[in-house]
Coordinates of all heavy atoms in Angstrom, one line a residue:
S596 N 18.0 8.1 203.4 CA 16.7 8.5 203.8 C 15.6 8.2 202.8 O 14.5 8.5 203.0 CB 16.7 10.0 204.2 OG 17.7 10.4 205.1
F597 N 16.0 7.7 201.6 CA 15.1 7.6 200.5 C 15.2 6.1 200.0 O 16.2 5.7 199.4 CB 15.5 8.5 199.4 CG 14.6 8.6 198.2 CD1 13.4 9.3 198.3 CD2 14.9 7.9 197.0 CE1 12.6 9.4 197.2 CE2 14.1 7.9 195.9 CZ 12.9 8.7 196.0
R598 N 14.2 5.3 200.3 CA 14.2 3.9 200.0 C 12.9 3.5 199.3 O 11.8 4.2 199.5 CB 14.3 3.0 201.3 CG 15.6 3.3 202.1 CD 16.9 2.9 201.4 NE 18.0 3.1 202.2 CZ 19.2 2.8 201.8 NH1 19.4 2.3 200.6 NH2 20.3 3.0 202.5
A599 N 13.0 2.4 198.5 CA 11.8 1.9 197.8 C 11.8 0.4 198.0 O 12.8 -0.3 198.0 CB 12.0 2.2 196.3
Y600 N 10.5 0.0 198.3 CA 10.3 -1.5 198.5 C 8.9 -1.8 197.9 O 7.9 -1.3 198.3 CB 10.5 -1.9 199.9 CG 10.3 -3.4 200.2 CD1 11.2 -4.2 199.8 CD2 9.1 -3.8 200.8 CE1 11.0 -5.6 200.0 CE2 8.9 -5.1 201.1 CZ 9.9 -6.0 200.7 OH 9.7 -7.4 200.9
K601 N 8.9 -2.8 196.9 CA 7.7 -3.3 196.3 C 6.8 -2.1 195.8 O 5.5 -2.0 196.1 CB 6.9 -4.2 197.4 CG 7.5 -5.6 197.5 CD 6.5 -6.4 198.4 CE 7.1 -7.8 198.4 NZ 7.1 -8.5 197.1
G602 N 7.4 -1.2 195.1 CA 6.6 -0.1 194.5 C 6.2 1.0 195.5 O 5.5 1.9 195.1
R603 N 6.7 1.0 196.7 CA 6.4 2.0 197.7 C 7.7 2.8 198.1 O 8.8 2.2 198.1 CB 5.8 1.4 198.9 CG 4.6 0.4 198.7 CD 4.3 -0.4 199.8 NE 3.3 -1.5 199.5 CZ 3.0 -2.5 200.3 NH1 3.6 -2.6 201.5 NH2 2.2 -3.3 199.9
L604 N 7.5 4.0 198.3 CA 8.6 4.9 198.6 C 8.6 5.1 200.2 O 7.5 5.4 200.7 CB 8.6 6.2 197.9 CG 9.0 6.2 196.4 CD1 8.8 7.5 195.8 CD2 10.4 5.7 196.3
F605 N 9.7 5.1 200.8 CA 9.8 5.3 202.3 C 10.8 6.5 202.4 O 11.9 6.5 201.9 CB 10.3 4.1 203.0 CG 9.3 3.0 203.0 CD1 9.2 2.1 202.0 CD2 8.5 2.8 204.2 CE1 8.3 1.1 202.0 CE2 7.5 1.8 204.2 CZ 7.4 0.9 203.1
L606 N 10.3 7.5 203.2 CA 11.2 8.7 203.5 C 11.4 8.8 205.0 O 10.5 8.7 205.8 CB 10.4 10.0 203.0 CG 10.1 10.1 201.5 CD1 9.4 11.3 201.3 CD2 11.4 10.0 200.7
L607 N 12.7 9.1 205.3 CA 13.0 9.4 206.7 C 13.3 11.0 206.7 O 14.1 11.4 206.0 CB 14.3 8.7 207.1 CG 14.9 9.1 208.3 CD1 14.0 8.8 209.5 CD2 16.3 8.4 208.6
G608 N 12.4 11.6 207.4 CA 12.6 13.1 207.4 C 13.1 13.6 208.8 O 13.3 12.7 209.7
F609 N 13.3 14.8 208.9 CA 13.8 15.4 210.2 C 12.7 15.3 211.2 O 13.0 15.1 212.5 CB 14.2 16.8 210.0 CG 15.6 16.9 209.3 CD1 15.7 17.2 207.9 CD2 16.7 16.8 210.1 CE1 16.9 17.3 207.3 CE2 18.0 17.0 209.4 CZ 18.0 17.2 208.1
N610 N 11.5 15.3 210.8 CA 10.3 15.4 211.8 C 9.4 14.2 211.7 O 8.5 14.1 212.5 CB 9.6 16.7 211.6 CG 10.5 17.9 211.7 OD1 11.3 18.0 212.6 ND2 10.3 18.9 210.9
E611 N 9.4 13.5 210.6 CA 8.4 12.4 210.4 C 9.0 11.3 209.5 O 9.9 11.5 208.8 CB 7.1 12.9 209.9 CG 7.2 13.4 208.5 CD 5.9 13.9 207.9 OE1 5.0 14.4 208.7 OE2 5.7 13.8 206.7
I612 N 8.3 10.2 209.6 CA 8.6 9.0 208.7 C 7.3 8.8 207.9 O 6.3 8.7 208.5 CB 9.1 7.8 209.5 CG1 10.3 8.1 210.4 CG2 9.3 6.6 208.5 CD1 10.6 7.1 211.3
S613 N 7.5 8.6 206.6 CA 6.3 8.5 205.8 C 6.5 7.5 204.7 O 7.7 7.2 204.4 CB 5.8 9.8 205.3 OG 6.9 10.5 204.5
F614 N 5.5 7.0 204.1 CA 5.6 6.2 202.9 C 4.6 6.6 201.9 O 3.6 7.3 202.3 CB 5.5 4.7 203.3 CG 4.1 4.3 203.4 CD1 3.3 3.7 202.3 CD2 3.3 4.6 204.6 CE1 2.0 3.3 202.5 CE2 2.0 4.2 204.7 CZ 1.4 3.5 203.7
G615 N 4.8 6.3 200.7 CA 3.9 6.7 199.6 C 3.8 5.7 198.5 O 4.8 5.0 198.3
T616 N 2.7 5.7 197.7 CA 2.5 4.9 196.5 C 2.1 5.8 195.4 O 1.4 6.8 195.6 CB 1.5 3.8 196.8 OG1 0.3 4.4 197.2 CG2 2.0 2.8 197.9
L617 N 2.5 5.4 194.2 CA 2.0 6.2 193.0 C 0.5 6.0 192.8 O 0.0 5.0 193.0 CB 2.7 5.7 191.8 CG 4.2 6.1 191.5 CD1 4.7 5.5 190.3 CD2 4.3 7.7 191.4
S618 N -0.2 7.1 192.5 CA -1.6 7.0 192.2 C -1.8 6.2 191.0 O -1.1 6.5 189.9 CB -2.1 8.5 191.9 OG -1.9 9.3 193.1
N619 N -2.6 5.2 191.0 CA -2.8 4.4 189.8 C -4.0 5.0 189.0 O -4.5 6.1 189.3 CB -3.2 2.9 190.2 CG -4.5 2.8 191.1 OD1 -5.2 3.8 191.2 ND2 -4.6 1.8 191.9
W620 N -4.3 4.3 187.9 CA -5.2 5.0 187.0 C -6.6 5.1 187.6 O -7.3 6.2 187.3 CB -5.3 4.1 185.7 CG -5.9 2.7 185.9 CD1 -5.3 1.6 186.4 CD2 -7.2 2.3 185.7 NE1 -6.1 0.5 186.5 CE2 -7.3 0.9 186.0 CE3 -8.3 3.0 185.1 CZ2 -8.5 0.2 185.8 CZ3 -9.5 2.3 185.0 CH2 -9.6 0.9 185.4
A621 N -7.0 4.2 188.4 CA -8.3 4.3 189.0 C -8.3 5.5 190.0 O -9.3 6.2 190.1 CB -8.7 3.0 189.8

Side-chain angles (χ1 to χ4, degrees):
S596 309
F597 187 80
R598 301 291 183 182
Y600 181 70
K601 285 189 175 294
R603 306 164 191 171
L604 286 174
F605 291 82
L606 296 181
L607 172 60
F609 284 97
N610 303 319
E611 67 178 30
I612 303 170
S613 57
F614 80 98
T616 57
L617 283 179
S618 300
N619 59 19
W620 66 280

